[in-house]
């Protein structure tokens, strides 16, 4: 996603921006060894995630790995890794491999990076209540397992190496599980979540009948009833959102901790859909996108986080922490780079408070490179990166400088909620997740058109139909190889990026189980 | 708007929060002497703004003033100032006084402050091009005046004294005019605005035929044509938005400069609608609201800025500049105040990155008062103020402390644009501006219902009909005085706040002139 084409070619005075050495010299595609113990949680419908080229324990350097659910043979893996053929990959037995008959398809880029830097994951995860330190629960519930399942689909669009994307695709759902373990009892209780929990207990393990002292007992028994002059009600849904947000943070921290020992270069955008207790939680950090198509209507389930959409947050941080700019950047935005000879003239600018533009007299400080620069897909932060949220990138610096990008990148997702129970869905209603390779050339309306067109050509109870949609979306965005490169049906350039798509039926056979 | 009822009654350890002395002890309602020269600009349809109780040159202390266009007699002014009668005020001769037959009505609060702290302004302003320092324009255009008009309607909802609101109602449009003077030529030229202007010239006075040297000439002649690898296109609309944003900033700076000499206590929310070259620009800083009602459809033209809606911006600033919290506040949000005895327990919280909630173990630092606290109309920042954008408030501090509120308050508005030329409006289509006194008890849909109900009972070409709508909106939000206070038709409590409403026809007789 942040390929060489995403790096700005520009002479930046002392910084000497150019094609990034990060993208060129770092080993790419190295899968993450599983030596570090994963957080607690159970994965269902899961086989050891393999590269297809061998076990993951001691992978060869720069091994190429694809999602385990694809179950690629060595020969298929070679085909998937072929930039010239760009064969579309889908689960071989889509009928059984993915829950809810989910459709999935992917294709490698046209040569912008050595391997496909997208990764994907689809799991059903059991969240088991954490054992109480005082053993309350075992005495209360006997030896029965207490918990719930969530369904999980996620896409990771890697850049500057695939280590972060691979690790995130293997671990993010486990971090979500870990956060939810604290909440098992609370989420299963229809009464409002308690504001405060007693000493030494974990969220979800507060059993008033087992309290050791009166104060704790009083606290928990009554806490759902507001006793304070001002007390905010917090919903169960807010707790799940908070759990997902903190799971992203912990995932990012794990990548930071293990990046040296596990060789985790680069970073990745992350888009995850979690189905839990009747609701979809769609969490997005980066420029992937999710939409629901329901009865032909498009419902956006995410927004993209780029230097343009997050300009004011980034400028605000730069204004308050100018030392992060290393004397090389200005927090102001200008429509183009200023020439030294233009000193004293008036130029259009905008700062962190403005959405409009105004003229200002150019001063010495304005000759620095703007923090945000460029438009659309070419917009960059610090002339380096085209997305502003995601996981990893802890070592990413402005080229030939000691200026770190990370303080400006946020690992926190925006989480949107869709209540599946509020509407009776038919088998043609779907949630589509796609990396930017899809959306760069195919807009929401076109995607909805393809979805409807393909679905009507299959029986409503045919579980293959969602895979067919995913494949068609990928093929139409990739295009066909002609003399002048990959071309769409309208002869425009197809996407040269990695493309990955999930098509999740909202009312198909076997859902909600 | 920030009345005593808006101040949190709470014991805050060392801070000893309580009813604010600001709202109680400072003189209220003192009009601003016009001694400070206003910025350039011409006001049409304008009479000297009077209090009705005498000329404004040397007002008596604590004089009560209402908008000039109301032309209240001393007797009418006394009635307008009567908290028990709460008589609705409208321009006496609505047919001619306000442009576009705009309707206006207001009513004083039910006793929460001594006088009506809302202010209003309605003007038609001529923006005259600033004379060139080199005299180019006079030689080019002869002695003819060069410029354009804009229409202007604004509401100011004052708190903790009326000085800021009165001054803003007298000056904000002049600051907008001042900003637009720079842009007269550029906005009248259909080609894209130049990115860069030559040395020593003001925006809008760059006449290439009069350039003094070749470099300047080349710059201006070619600047609209992108010559750089990456150059952002900036629209005329963006320049107007930038001008309005900076006008708010300059207005705020003027209040700061003159607050001591001109006696300008308090602050105010500001909502302004500017009609310029076929478009409405609606600028909002605070919790007033604007909606368009078009063919029965509601189009929101603003959003409110409160501790709840701006939580993340405020928490982010507090996190990066903890010294602004004076060791009394924590940037974390909790659902209620934490008791010291709860140390070590787990409590729900959220920080600047989160939209959801999670549990954290309570530490010593969490016992500080939360930066954001309370819900809905009771939400407060630093236990002090219920709005987070507006003008003034430079002396506002947390009660009995030296902690300033201002760094968290932003004077910048959000500007939304509505293109009047994109739709053929009928006489029943209107833009409604109202202070929170209206919206606290009457929602968008109810306002739209009243608009349609009243308009249908008058002839479409009756210019009084918009005043009738404004009056009806005010009456229905105030309610009727009964034994148990001011009551609405449904017997709920009416608004005890000041209420001010503009109803601007979008397709009425005489518009766009």
């Amino acid at each position: 996603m942040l390929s060489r084409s995403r790096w700005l070619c520009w002479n930046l005075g002392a910084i000497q921006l150019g094609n990034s050495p990060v993208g060129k010299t770092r080993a790419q595609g190295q899968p993450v060894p599983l030596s570090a113990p994963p957080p607690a949680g159970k994965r269902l419908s899961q086989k050891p995630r393999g590269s297809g080229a061998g076990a993951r324990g001691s992978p060869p350097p720069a091994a190429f790995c694809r999602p385990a659910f694809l179950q690629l043979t060595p020969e298929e893996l070679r085909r998937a890794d072929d930039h010239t053929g760009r064969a579309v990959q889908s689960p071989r037995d889509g009928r059984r491999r993915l829950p809810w008959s989910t459709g999935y398809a992917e294709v490698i880029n046209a040569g912008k990076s050595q391997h496909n830097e997208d990764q994907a994951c689809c799991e059903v995860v059991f969240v088991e209540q954490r054992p109480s330190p005082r053993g309350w629960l075992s005495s209360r519930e006997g030896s029965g397992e207490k918990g719930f399942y969530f369904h999980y689909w996620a896409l990771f669009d890697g850049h500057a190496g695939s280590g972060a994307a691979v690790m995130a695709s293997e671990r993010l759902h486990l971090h979500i599980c870990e956060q939810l373990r604290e909440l098992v009892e609370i989420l299963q209780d229809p009464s409002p979540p308690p504001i405060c929990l007693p000493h030494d207990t974990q969220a979800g393990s507060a059993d008033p009948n087992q309290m050791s002292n009166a104060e704790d007992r009083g606290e928990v028994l009554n806490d759902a009833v507001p006793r304070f002059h001002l007390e905010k009600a917090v919903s169960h849904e807010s707790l799940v959102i908070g759990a997902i947000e903190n799971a992203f943070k912990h995932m990012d921290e794990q990548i930071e901790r293990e990046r040296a020992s596990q060789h985790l270069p680069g970073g990745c955008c992350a888009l995850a859909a979690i189905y839990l207790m009747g609701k979809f939680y769609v969490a997005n950090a980066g420029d992937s996108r999710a939409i629901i198509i329901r009865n032909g209507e498009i419902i956006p389930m995410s927004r993209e986080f780029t230097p343009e959409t997050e300009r004011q947050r980034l400028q605000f941080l730069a204004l308050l922490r100018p030392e992060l700019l290393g004397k090389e950047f200005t927090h102001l935005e200008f429509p183009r780079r200023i020439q030294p000879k233009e000193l004293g003239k008036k130029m259009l600018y905008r700062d962190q408070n403005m959405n409009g533009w105004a003229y200002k007299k150019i001063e010495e400080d304005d000759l620095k490179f703007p923090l945000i620069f460029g438009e659309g897909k070419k917009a960059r932060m610090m002339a380096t990166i085209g997305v502003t949220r995601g996981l990893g990138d802890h070592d990413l610096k402005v080229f030939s400088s000691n200026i770190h990008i990370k303080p400006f990148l946020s690992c926190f997702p925006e989480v949107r909620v869709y209540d599946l129970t509020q509407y009776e869905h038919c088998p043609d209603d779907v949630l589509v997740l796609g990396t930017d390779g899809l959306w760069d050339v195919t807009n929401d309306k076109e995607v909805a058109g393809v979805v409807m067109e393909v679905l009507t050509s299959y029986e409503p109870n045919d579980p293959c139909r969602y895979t067919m949609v995913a494949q068609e979306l990928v093929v139409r965005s990739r295009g066909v190889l002609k003399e002048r490169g990959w071309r769409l049906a309208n002869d425009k350039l197809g996407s040269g990026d990695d493309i990955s798509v999930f098509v999740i039926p909202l009312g198909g056979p076997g859902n909600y189980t």
Side-chain angles (χ1 to χ4, degrees), chain A residues 351-363:
Chain A
D351 71 14
Q352 80 289 344
N353 290 311
M354 298 169 71
N355 275 307
W357 294 81
Y359 290 97
K360 84 180 286 289
K361 193 172 173 181
I362 300 168
E363 296 162 36

Side-chain angles (χ1 to χ4, degrees), chain A residues 2 11 38 46 50 96 113 126 198 277 287 319 365 370 372 430 488:
Chain A
L2 185 148
N11 282 323
Q46 191 179 1
R96 288 183 307 173
S113 64
F126 181 70
M277 297 177 179
D287 64 357
L319 177 75
D365 208 55
I372 311 292
V430 295
L488 306 180

Side-chain angles (χ1 to χ4, degrees), chain A residues 8 47 75 123 314 365 435:
Chain A
L8 186 71
K47 301 188 177 184
E75 173 53 30
E123 297 285 347
L314 303 170
D365 208 55
T435 53

Side-chain angles (χ1 to χ4, degrees), chain A residues 203-266:
Chain A
S205 58
D207 184 343
N209 301 318
Q210 303 290 333
M211 290 291 164
S212 56
N213 65 61
E215 185 194 320
D216 279 352
R217 187 157 55 244
E219 196 66 47
V220 173
L221 277 172
N222 299 326
D223 209 4
V225 182
R227 293 169 302 149
F228 291 83
H229 176 54
L230 286 169
E231 182 168 294
K232 206 160 195 160
V234 174
S235 65
H236 289 95
E237 188 177 297
S238 297
L239 293 190
V240 177
I241 294 171
I244 295 169
E245 289 170 330
N246 278 329
F248 272 66
K249 188 179 74 169
H250 288 144
M251 182 72 249
D252 195 53
E253 288 167 353
Q254 187 184 12
I255 294 173
E256 182 176 21
R257 277 194 312 273
E258 300 181 13
R259 70 192 193 281
S261 63
Q262 306 291 329
H263 193 76
L264 304 174

Side-chain angles (χ1 to χ4, degrees), chain A residues 92-309:
Chain A
R92 277 198 297 175
D93 189 359
R95 203 169 296 212
R96 288 183 307 173
R97 288 289 170 257
L98 297 184
W100 293 17
S101 305
T102 295
Y104 173 81
E106 63 165 52
V107 73
I108 194 172
N109 63 77
K112 64 171 233 177
S113 64
Q114 188 185 351
H115 296 300
N116 187 340
E117 292 186 339
D118 283 1
Q119 294 295 338
C121 183
C122 179
E123 297 285 347
V124 182
V125 183
F126 181 70
V127 183
E128 185 183 354
Q129 180 161 24
R130 195 189 304 281
S132 160
R134 298 185 196 175
W136 296 340
L137 290 166
S138 54
S139 67
R140 188 189 181 194
E141 299 289 334
S143 57
E145 224 172 30
K146 194 165 183 183
F148 49 71
Y149 288 94
F150 69 85
H151 289 66
Y152 171 89
W153 301 257
L155 296 176
F156 303 89
D157 183 349
H159 53 250
S162 35
V166 170
M167 187 182 211
S169 71
E170 291 176 337
R171 304 288 177 83
L172 179 60
H173 56 292
L174 303 180
H175 281 289
I176 293 171
C177 177
E178 188 67 15
Q179 294 297 313
L180 290 173
R181 288 185 75 190
E182 301 264 357
L183 305 171
V184 165
E185 198 165 334
I186 292 171
L187 292 179
Q188 290 179 323
D189 183 344
S191 56
I195 299 295
C196 188
L197 303 171
H199 280 283
D200 297 333
T201 61
Q202 288 141 357
S205 58
D207 184 343
N209 301 318
Q210 303 290 333
M211 290 291 164
S212 56
N213 65 61
E215 185 194 320
D216 279 352
R217 187 157 55 244
E219 196 66 47
V220 173
L221 277 172
N222 299 326
D223 209 4
V225 182
R227 293 169 302 149
F228 291 83
H229 176 54
L230 286 169
E231 182 168 294
K232 206 160 195 160
V234 174
S235 65
H236 289 95
E237 188 177 297
S238 297
L239 293 190
V240 177
I241 294 171
I244 295 169
E245 289 170 330
N246 278 329
F248 272 66
K249 188 179 74 169
H250 288 144
M251 182 72 249
D252 195 53
E253 288 167 353
Q254 187 184 12
I255 294 173
E256 182 176 21
R257 277 194 312 273
E258 300 181 13
R259 70 192 193 281
S261 63
Q262 306 291 329
H263 193 76
L264 304 174
C268 65
C269 297
L271 170 64
I274 294 103
Y275 173 73
L276 174 63
M277 297 177 179
K279 290 178 181 175
F280 261 107
Y281 297 82
V282 179
N284 187 43
D287 64 357
S288 297
R289 187 187 299 167
I291 63 171
I292 281 174
I293 298 149
R294 189 184 70 185
N295 198 20
E297 181 195 0
I298 294 162
I299 304 168
M301 287 303 295
S302 68
R303 64 185 171 111
E304 286 86 76
F305 295 95
T306 68
E308 283 187 306
T309 63

